[in-house]
Amino acid sequence: MNDRAVLHVKGRVLVGPEDVRDELWVVDGRVSYDRPAGVRDVRTVVGWALPGLVDAHCHVGLDRHGAVPKDVAEKQALTDRDAGTLLIRDAGSPSDTRWVDDRDDLPKIIRAGRHIARTRRYIRNYAWEIEPEDLVAYVAQEARRGDGWVKLVGDWIDRDLGDLSACWPRGAVEAAIAEAHRLGARVTAHCFSEDSLQDLVEAGIDCIEHATGLTEDLIPLFADRGVAIVPTLVNIATFPQLADGGEARFPRWSAHMRRLHERRYDTVRGAYDAGIPVFVGTDAGGQLAHGLAAAEVAELVTAGIPPVDALAAGTWTARAWLGRPGLEEGAPADLVVYDEDPRADVRVLGAPRRVVLNGHVVG
């Protein structure tokens, strides 16, 4: 569009779950609810408009082997964009993706720096692998490199034990989280198992990824501290396959992974019922393909979260949690248009009619 052209979105604009308007205008790449004067060049899009979807656990620039070339990272970002995901919290990556910030046609990324893991206790080529005495220094480093988040690996398989176990002593995580907060960063952690959770939450962590080990006795602690979870149910669906692959060497770990998988929906519903903030994340970029945010919203509904709240977990409330605007007056025009009301059936999210990023129709 030239500098006199505007985009007119008509139909139903879902500014919030109950705040529904008839239209919005996009002027100079930003949302307006006032018709601009003297407009002659107008492009009209009709349908149900939502803020761009949020994937709060995604890895642009990463595959199962580690960092990927720029052209591969670009394809990952475009896949997310074309599926309607316009805001990503990149929950750990060894790649430098700052170049994405210069592209108006790619999703906005909030980075958590590189994963910080215990030595030989995570996927090869993903993380800084360190010992507890270095944790504070590495957290400070990644807090300065990221966009307000730091990512720890809270637990992983201990080969000597033959099962998942916590990676960090309590004192180390207390000091590290305090340092991140001093530097203005929030902290999240990969956690599959039960035994890492209490120490991390009591140490002041802000979010737990996956949270499959969340038990009834731990739920009140999470709720009281306001610790969010990003369940990544589309990723947890792979646990049985992982368990089959590791059963010969680590039968105890395999049985544990199956138990975590079997109770996954009860875990998420229990967290939601207790008032724990739950957000959409896919864990794309490791073992999983990109563009799965709509599928994750549907998984939250399957777990028992009401459809409107599951939708909010990947749109309105997720953006507020990450400190990014939705469809407020003057906000960047990042929105997705659908043929039907996604509040009535979240499966609508899998078929966007139009994708608008920074005021431009890109899909």
Side-chain angles (χ1 to χ4, degrees), residues 35-60:
R35 181 186 176 95
V39 172
R40 290 175 297 183
D41 188 358
V42 177
R43 178 174 180 179
T44 301
V45 175
V46 179
W48 294 81
L50 270 178
L53 302 184
V54 178
D55 189 339
H57 187 133
C58 184
H59 305 280
V60 173

Side-chain angles (χ1 to χ4, degrees), residues 201 218-227 271 274-277:
V201 173
L218 288 170
I219 282 175
L221 177 64
F222 272 67
D224 181 62
R225 300 294 180 95
V227 177
I276 294 171

Side-chain angles (χ1 to χ4, degrees), residues 318-347:
R319 286 179 169 270
W321 178 58
L322 293 172
R324 298 299 174 91
L327 296 180
E328 296 90 349
E329 179 76 27
D334 297 344
L335 57 96
V336 191
V337 180
Y338 301 93
D339 287 329
E340 300 177 59
D341 186 353
R343 298 172 302 174
D345 184 351
V346 298
R347 291 175 296 180

Side-chain angles (χ1 to χ4, degrees), residues 53-54 233-234 279-282 292-303 305-315 342 345-347 349:
L53 302 184
V54 178
L233 288 168
V234 291
F279 296 106
V280 168
T282 66
L292 297 176
E296 181 66 13
V297 175
E299 276 286 274
L300 294 180
V301 173
T302 300
I305 294 181
V308 171
D309 289 348
L311 181 61
T315 54
D345 184 351
V346 298
R347 291 175 296 180
L349 299 177

